Amino acid sequence: MIEVKNLTVAYQGKEALSNIHLTVRKGAITGIIGPNGAGKSTLLKGMIGLVPKNKGETTFEEKEIASVRKNIAYVEQRNEIDLSFPIKVEDVVLLGTFPKLGLFRRPKAAERQKVIESLKKVKMEDFAKRQIGELSGGQLQRVFIARALIQEADIILLDEPFVGIDMKSEQVIIDLLKELKMQGKTILIVHHDLSKVTDYFDDVIILNRYLVGCGPLDSTFTTENIQLAYGETMGNVLIKGVNSQ
Ligand code: ADP
Ligand code: MG
């Protein structure tokens, strides 16, 4: 179980997240939803210490999360990645072995073999030698998922993995995530398309700078909470979209 206790993050003195208290179930897929600027990305970063927090702490199985950092795979939102950097697909995936390997041990044949296996799982093995700049959005996202897989982490954090990708890639990724869940991994996904929430997630965290709700879909993904997070008018439009699926 992940526990976030009293987390507050501010940028230049302005609070992006205030006093967030929540728990994330182990072995479940949890979606993080909320309007633009709600602090969804900040929540992931604040949890694992990628942004300085003003106060609060995050624990995994009662240990401070910093002490299990190697056990967390994080795929950032795509607009935060420099795609002009010349690097091959296989080398991006290989980066995922570094947290456990340590900085000074060179990857060997075993790691290279794992790269191929991870690429196979996302159906990207034929692209190993390509430059990342040559891939479509969906292919690229699958490569980042392969990088997360090779890390063999118990906690997987993904920030908007389905934005701007094709349906095949989305299906490959979601099938894989469901398989990882069956293996007991804890998966957190920032997501903004409410129409897929009931298909993809067991639990949701609903945010709008503060915590609107957190828990299983039945009790948390409610009209009331969506209106609280998105405002009444927008909330109604979004709920119609969900119910007409
Ligand atoms: P979301 O992912 O829900 O769209 P973010 O967590 O990215 O929201 O951002 C929450 C708020 O914090 C927004 O108002 C955003 O402009 C601000 N913010 C995010 N990152 C930074 C940063 N590095 N510096 C200053 N403000 C930021
Ligand atoms: Mg974001």
Side-chain angles (χ1 to χ4, degrees):
M1 186 171 78
I2 301 176
E3 278 187 278
V4 176
K5 298 170 200 159
N6 205 23
L7 180 70
T8 297
V9 178
Y11 298 106
Q12 286 108 37
K14 194 164 173 280
E15 281 187 12
L17 283 178
S18 309
N19 294 313
I20 306 290
H21 270 281
L22 56 85
T23 58
V24 178
R25 265 199 301 153
K26 199 178 167 188
I29 303 185
T30 300
I32 303 176
I33 60 175
N36 243 333
K40 303 181 295 296
S41 299
T42 302
L43 176 62
L44 289 188
K45 291 180 193 165
M47 282 171 63
I48 55 176
L50 291 179
V51 286
K53 55 186 190 249
N54 293 41
K55 55 179 195 229
E57 64 164 350
T58 304
T59 57
F60 178 62
E61 325 252 270
E62 321 218 318
K63 291 195 249 343
E64 174 60 40
I65 208 144
S67 69
V68 293
R69 188 69 181 82
K70 283 181 198 166
N71 203 6
I72 304 170
Y74 166 66
V75 178
E76 58 271 62
Q77 213 170 335
R78 226 169 40 242
N79 59 17
E80 296 185 6
I81 298 168
D82 180 6
L83 297 176
S84 63
F85 190 76
I87 181 166
K88 279 194 211 130
V89 164
E90 59 185 5
D91 293 324
V92 170
V93 179
L94 193 60
L95 289 173
T97 63
F98 284 25
K100 283 192 177 146
L101 204 59
L103 211 46
F104 302 105
R105 254 183 63 207
R106 291 274 180 119
K108 301 215 174 71
E111 278 78 31
R112 295 271 165 202
Q113 185 55 36
K114 279 191 184 167
V115 167
I116 301 299
E117 284 163 21
S118 298
L119 282 171
K120 276 191 180 147
K121 286 194 182 131
V122 296
K123 304 192 175 20
M124 284 294 291
E125 68 274 21
D126 296 341
F127 293 81
K129 304 285 177 199
R130 295 274 188 98
Q131 292 289 324
I132 57 163
E134 298 172 50
L135 303 183
S136 73
Q139 292 168 336
L140 193 63
Q141 197 63 37
R142 284 191 268 156
V143 171
F144 290 124
I145 302 282
R147 187 194 66 190
L149 288 178
I150 206 172
Q151 207 183 318
E152 294 173 338
D154 288 320
I155 306 172
I156 300 169
L157 312 177
L158 307 171
D159 197 341
E160 307 249 17
F162 305 122
V163 169
I165 74 173
D166 56 287
M167 280 174 66
K168 181 191 169 199
S169 296
E170 182 157 345
Q171 201 55 53
V172 169
I173 293 170
I174 200 73
D175 289 347
L176 196 57
L177 294 174
K178 288 185 173 167
E179 196 183 311
L180 291 167
K181 173 182 107 166
M182 300 311 276
Q183 295 167 16
K185 311 274 184 189
T186 302
I187 303 168
L188 260 169
I189 306 178
V190 173
H191 188 63
H192 75 247
D193 177 5
L194 297 191
S195 73
K196 298 289 178 62
V197 166
T198 49
D199 292 337
Y200 289 178
F201 307 132
D202 304 302
D203 296 354
V204 271
I205 293 168
I206 306 179
L207 277 186
N208 194 359
R209 291 173 186 266
Y210 66 96
L211 184 71
V212 174
C214 170
L217 292 185
D218 300 353
S219 54
T220 313
F221 191 55
T222 59
T223 306
E224 192 191 350
N225 280 345
I226 303 220
Q227 285 174 339
L228 275 172
Y230 290 86
E232 202 159 319
T233 315
M234 197 57 205
N236 277 332
V237 173
L238 293 168
I239 291 155
K240 285 208 182 97
V242 172
N243 292 336
S244 67
Q245 290 290 306

